[in-house]
Amino acid sequence: TGQIPKRRLLRFFSNLYQVLRRGARAVLQFYPETAEQAILISECASRVGFAGGIVVDYPNSAKAKKHYLVLSFDRAYKGDQGLAATSSTALAQKGVRTDEDFGSNGNGNGRDKQKVHKKKRGGIKTKEWILQKKDMQRKKGKDVRPNSKYTGRKRPTKF
């Protein structure tokens, strides 16, 4: 029974479904040999209860083509509707999307239209943070140095 691909896929996706929390998402990269394999993988994932679809990066390249299976735990999640058709109409009907559908410039990251704003991460290694981290490590049963009046202090500069 281990050599039936459909059954193996269903078992894999059902185990993944059990592990994920509500609202979680997973992205799996795979390289199908044929379009039917990509459709089979997508169908097995949706049969288990996942929502989502396949994203194809570099669809016109033979070597750089990458397939991503984007899975969402919630049934309410739906991919973009009305996407441009790909070279294969069967794949387009099954929810396969390309990087052009997401408005990227072809380099795969899709960040040309949106600017990435980084938050300033100030005060991460404060004394309170260090004490919380030590408590968490103690609860996990790890060996942690005891708290002292020097915990969280800056070390003096050398020379």
Side-chain angles (χ1 to χ4, degrees):
T1 60
Q3 298 303 322
I4 302 171
K6 191 170 187 177
R7 190 175 291 172
R8 291 173 67 187
L9 284 170
L10 287 172
R11 181 176 293 161
F12 170 74
F13 286 122
S14 64
N15 288 338
L16 183 64
Y17 193 83
Q18 291 173 356
V19 171
L20 292 179
R21 292 181 179 178
R22 185 167 300 282
R25 291 185 184 165
V27 178
L28 307 171
Q29 182 178 359
F30 65 101
Y31 297 95
E33 293 178 1
T34 62
E36 290 80 22
Q37 286 181 349
I39 293 170
L40 176 68
I41 291 171
S42 177
E43 285 177 349
C44 289
S46 64
R47 184 168 296 154
V48 168
F50 283 111
I54 299 175
V55 177
V56 180
D57 197 11
Y58 301 112
N60 299 327
S61 172
K63 287 186 176 181
K65 185 185 292 189
K66 294 181 175 132
H67 290 45
Y68 298 100
L69 181 63
V70 181
L71 302 174
S72 175
F73 186 90
D74 288 338
R75 264 305 196 188
Y77 175 77
K78 297 221 167 123
D80 296 335
Q81 300 297 323
L83 298 167
T86 59
S87 59
S88 173
T89 57
L91 289 177
Q93 291 173 351
K94 292 292 179 182
V96 176
R97 296 181 277 174
T98 63
D99 58 346
E100 291 127 12
D101 297 329
F102 291 102
S104 94
N105 59 2
N107 62 2
N109 61 10
R111 294 183 186 165
D112 55 339
K113 291 186 179 180
Q114 61 180 352
K115 292 185 180 181
V116 179
H117 297 287
K118 292 186 178 181
K119 286 174 115 178
K120 289 187 179 179
R121 294 174 39 168
I124 288 181
K125 303 277 174 128
T126 61
K127 184 171 183 174
E128 296 82 27
W129 181 86
I130 293 170
L131 292 175
Q132 287 178 351
K133 183 80 171 176
K134 282 184 166 186
D135 288 338
M136 288 173 49
Q137 296 296 323
R138 284 189 190 103
K139 287 178 185 175
K140 291 181 182 179
K142 305 232 176 168
D143 290 333
V144 181
R145 303 250 332 169
N147 295 338
S148 72
K149 66 179 184 177
Y150 302 108
T151 301
R153 287 194 185 179
K154 284 189 97 174
R155 293 177 182 259
T157 58
K158 306 253 175 161
F159 298 105

